[in-house]
Amino acid sequence: MAQTVRVAAVQAEPVWLDIEGTTAKTVELIRQAAAGGADLVAFPETWLPGYPVFLWSYPVYQQMEFVARYHANSPT
């Protein structure tokens, strides 16, 4: 007895360094996927608060502002 599970893989951009904005976007993306028949919705790694690309983009002394915002907008 086989059961079909429809999976949706999200390929989208979060609302960078904004946990409230990304959470609202997440809920909307889940709603859309469910309306399309998805049983499971998968999001990229570090979706909340977004991949810390600043680690590779700036010298350490320029990362401090981003590290603080990243930490403040990370889920507990």
Side-chain angles (χ1 to χ4, degrees):
M1 184 173 6
Q3 179 181 357
T4 300
V5 177
R6 181 169 278 186
V7 178
V10 174
Q11 185 175 5
E13 207 172 326
V15 181
W16 295 101
L17 302 174
D18 181 350
I19 195 167
E20 291 178 12
T22 302
T23 300
K25 185 172 185 174
T26 303
V27 170
E28 177 58 20
L29 289 168
I30 292 169
R31 187 197 65 71
Q32 290 175 16
D39 300 305
L40 173 68
V41 183
F43 288 84
E45 178 183 16
T46 67
W47 173 253
L48 285 167
Y51 185 81
V53 70
F54 58 84
L55 293 176
W56 316 114
S57 303
Y58 301 97
V60 173
Y61 71 92
Q62 290 180 329
Q63 294 178 21
M64 298 312 291
E65 120 181 49
F66 295 110
V67 171
R69 288 178 61 202
Y70 192 81
H71 185 266
N73 285 282
S74 295
T76 57

